[in-house]
Amino acid sequence: MNGRDLITATMRELERVKVIEAVIEGRLRCFQAAERLDLCERQISRLCRRYEADGPAGLVSGKRGKPSNRELPIDLRAQAMALVRERYADFGPTLACEKLAECHGIRLARETVRRWMRDAGLWVPRRQRTPKIHQPRARRACLGELVQIDGSDHPWFEDRAPACTLLVYVDDATSQIMALHFTATESTFGYFEATRAYLERYGKPVAFYSDRASVFRPTYSRNGARGVTQFGRAMYELNIDTFCANSSPAKGRVERAHLTLQDRLVKELRLRGIQTMEAANAYAAAFKAAYNARFAKPPRSTFDAHRPLRDDEDLDAILTWRVQRKVSDSLTVLNDLTIYLLEETEASRKLIGHYIDVWEYPDGRIELRADGVALPYLPYDKLAEIDQGAVVEHKRLGHALQVAQAMQAQRDNRRVSGSPSRTNRGAAVRKPAALPGTKKPRAFTQADLNETILQLATQHTKQLKPASKPGRRSARAH
């Protein structure tokens, strides 16, 4: 075996040479060599004869340098790559493989297409691509020119209270915290409350910079055009621009502030024994002043870009949830699983079949408006308790599950401990026995609940079962 063969030989072939040499020299038996190389003894005998005839070169695989018996035809590869280069040059291997089978009847394995496209230079593996360079963006020049906003869902009160969300407003030019607002979830009304406090304190900034949550960017489109969220509509009426960041590092000022707040603010709340959102919002002003004195940067320009609110800008009317609903023939309006009855007047009769505006305020008030005039109505709360197919943002899913569990437990307790008339006149719920050595009853467990439900279901089935009577009808029933 010459030097070139040694270079190209694999470790497995080198091991084979050593074993066969040991067999020929008598240092190893055939069955031992067969076990070591995972071959049969007859194959070991063949390899020994090849080694004696041709030396180490006789042990080299005869398939080396030859195409595989399973290799696809060269014409098929040329045809597939010609189609990919002509029509699917910017396609990924998976999609290109699907289109070749769907449009041209060329069925290939996805990895085969991937290898061919890589060899032809039509696709570069992700690991070999040049990494994108994200250069740092310079701060804005003035205060109020760009304000980054975001919410942080975190156990701010540790184990003293459930987790909640902190809405943070950070100025891009100075890294100054402009607003802190504790709320249950990162919702539109939560941002309305925080934004109202911001506007009343500083005025209107030039723009808000946020992430792509559904509060700021709609997740649906109509006729190819993306709609407008309630927050975006309110900011448009206030003449404040809104921009969404393409990535979290793009709004790094507020993301960096989250890390500091989740450390310092949590400990400050612990030292003061604060465990409610109301008390935390009252303390937020003092913490904000201390934070800005420690971490805020001076702006490059002393100009303040905030604008005062105009006299015609009513925040009570602007910061509302507005939807349009159609008036039915019976002068009713359905919104959010609640039916509203309009007063029967000449003006309301003219609204049948037309759409009116439904305004919901942050405090829960509902107004039905037509041409800017509030209409008198009576709520007919028939479907309010039914929550069918509610759309929940991924950031609010944890809170929504907690609310669902609490409501389910409340409904289960109401059903189990209801009056006999509401439980089909069944037996009263068996109270749990007292714990040994105590006078207090033990907690009502899930096993007790399941047993009680089974008893009630059995009694209900017995009541519904008709008594058997002789006759044709009972015989047909059986």
Side-chain angles (χ1 to χ4, degrees):
M1 181 180 293
N2 53 28
R4 182 175 180 181
D5 293 334
L6 288 175
I7 295 175
T8 57
T10 62
M11 296 300 298
R12 185 176 180 180
E13 291 173 340
L14 293 176
E15 177 68 15
R16 179 177 295 186
V17 170
K18 294 180 181 179
V19 173
I20 297 301
E21 286 180 350
V23 173
I24 293 175
E25 295 175 359
R27 292 182 286 106
L28 202 65
R29 304 291 296 274
C30 285
F31 73 91
Q32 295 175 341
E35 292 178 357
R36 182 174 299 184
L37 297 179
D38 196 16
L39 298 173
C40 63
E41 295 185 20
R42 295 181 62 183
Q43 182 65 14
I44 295 296
S45 300
R46 296 190 190 99
L47 294 178
C48 290
R49 290 194 295 269
R50 292 180 187 176
Y51 185 86
E52 292 175 349
D54 302 328
L59 302 181
V60 178
S61 175
K63 297 181 179 180
R64 175 172 295 176
K66 297 181 181 179
S68 172
N69 296 332
R70 298 184 179 182
E71 184 178 4
L72 296 175
I74 300 178
D75 297 340
L76 179 61
R77 176 172 182 173
Q79 179 186 2
M81 289 299 98
L83 291 173
V84 171
R85 187 177 289 102
E86 179 183 357
R87 300 187 180 184
Y88 315 119
D90 57 341
F91 284 35
T94 302
L95 184 56
C97 180
E98 295 175 0
K99 292 303 176 181
L100 287 175
E102 177 184 350
C103 302
H104 308 283
I106 302 177
R107 302 189 178 278
L108 300 169
R110 180 181 58 186
E111 294 303 322
T112 300
V113 177
R114 186 188 307 275
R115 185 179 71 254
W116 289 356
M117 292 181 64
R118 182 181 66 241
D119 296 342
L122 299 176
W123 184 77
V124 180
R126 190 177 302 275
R127 295 182 179 179
Q128 299 179 7
R129 298 175 188 174
T130 304
K132 295 182 180 179
I133 299 177
H134 300 278
Q135 294 184 342
R137 175 179 57 84
R139 296 175 180 269
R140 308 308 301 177
C142 345
L143 179 69
E145 187 176 357
L146 182 67
V147 178
Q148 300 183 13
I149 60 177
D150 193 20
S152 176
D153 189 5
H154 187 73
W156 297 102
F157 309 113
E158 298 174 313
D159 56 351
R160 303 186 303 276
C164 62
T165 300
L166 176 63
L167 305 183
V168 185
Y169 288 49
V170 176
D171 182 70
D172 185 82
T174 62
S175 294
Q176 177 180 347
I177 292 183
M178 310 298 289
L180 292 175
H181 182 72
F182 287 90
T183 183
T185 58
E186 190 176 1
S187 61
T188 300
F189 283 115
Y191 277 103
F192 278 168
E193 295 175 0
T195 304
R196 183 189 184 103
Y198 180 97
L199 297 177
E200 292 175 348
R201 172 68 176 83
Y202 300 102
K204 299 186 299 183
V206 176
F208 283 126
Y209 197 42
S210 65
D211 55 12
R212 292 184 292 179
S214 58
V215 176
F216 313 105
R217 189 173 185 268
T219 57
Y220 62 91
S221 60
R222 295 178 180 177
N223 299 327
R226 191 172 294 275
V228 179
T229 64
Q230 298 291 333
F231 185 84
R233 186 265 313 157
M235 295 302 102
Y236 177 78
E237 294 183 4
L238 290 171
N239 196 17
I240 301 175
D241 289 329
T242 56
F243 303 104
C244 295
N246 195 33
S247 62
S248 296
K251 51 183 182 65
R253 316 275 184 234
V254 67
E255 295 290 348
R256 183 63 183 87
H258 285 331
L259 300 179
T260 305
L261 293 173
Q262 290 175 3
D263 178 36
R264 291 177 173 249
L265 182 55
V266 169
K267 296 174 181 176
E268 293 290 347
L269 295 176
R270 182 202 309 162
L271 293 176
R272 288 163 176 78
I274 297 176
Q275 56 186 2
T276 61
M277 292 189 294
E278 293 75 12
N281 285 327
Y283 168 69
F287 178 85
K288 183 176 61 174
Y291 179 95
N292 293 335
R294 174 68 176 82
F295 297 105
K297 307 294 182 182
R300 289 184 295 170
S301 173
T302 57
F303 176 74
D304 191 351
H306 288 100
R307 297 159 294 163
L309 291 169
R310 300 198 311 266
D311 296 336
D312 59 340
E313 292 176 338
D314 185 7
L315 294 182
D316 291 333
I318 294 176
L319 301 179
T320 54
W321 185 283
R322 302 180 187 178
V323 292
Q324 288 189 337
R325 295 292 182 260
K326 189 175 182 179
V327 181
S328 66
D329 296 339
S330 57
L331 289 179
T332 60
V333 177
L334 176 62
N335 177 64
D336 198 14
L337 299 179
T338 303
I339 298 176
Y340 300 95
L341 308 178
L342 296 178
E343 287 189 5
E344 185 178 356
T345 61
E346 292 296 333
S348 61
R349 283 179 173 272
K350 297 179 181 179
L351 298 176
I352 294 178
H354 294 78
Y355 284 88
I356 63 175
D357 296 326
V358 180
W359 289 15
E360 182 177 356
Y361 291 86
D363 57 2
R365 292 183 295 115
I366 300 294
E367 280 190 1
L368 306 183
R369 289 175 169 263
D371 297 330
V373 179
L375 303 175
Y377 68 91
L378 291 176
Y380 182 65
D381 198 5
K382 182 178 180 181
L383 302 175
E385 293 186 357
I386 302 177
D387 191 8
Q388 179 179 359
V391 178
V392 180
E393 304 173 13
H394 69 283
K395 291 185 178 181
R396 301 180 55 190
L397 184 58
H399 178 73
L401 290 176
Q402 293 178 0
V403 174
Q405 292 175 356
M407 294 179 63
Q408 290 173 3
Q410 183 179 4
R411 287 197 295 265
D412 289 339
N413 294 334
R414 185 170 66 247
R415 292 169 182 170
V416 172
S417 61
S419 60
S421 61
R422 299 189 62 179
T423 57
N424 295 324
R425 295 186 297 276
V429 179
R430 179 175 59 85
K431 296 183 179 180
L435 294 174
T438 62
K439 297 182 179 180
K440 296 182 180 180
R442 62 180 175 84
F444 196 85
T445 62
Q446 183 67 31
D448 298 328
L449 179 60
N450 295 336
E451 182 180 356
T452 304
I453 293 176
L454 180 60
Q455 293 177 358
L456 295 176
T458 304
Q459 295 177 3
H460 181 66
T461 305
K462 292 180 179 179
Q463 293 176 1
L464 294 180
K465 184 178 181 180
S468 60
K469 295 181 180 180
R472 179 186 302 178
R473 182 171 301 175
S474 61
R476 175 181 291 182
H478 289 286

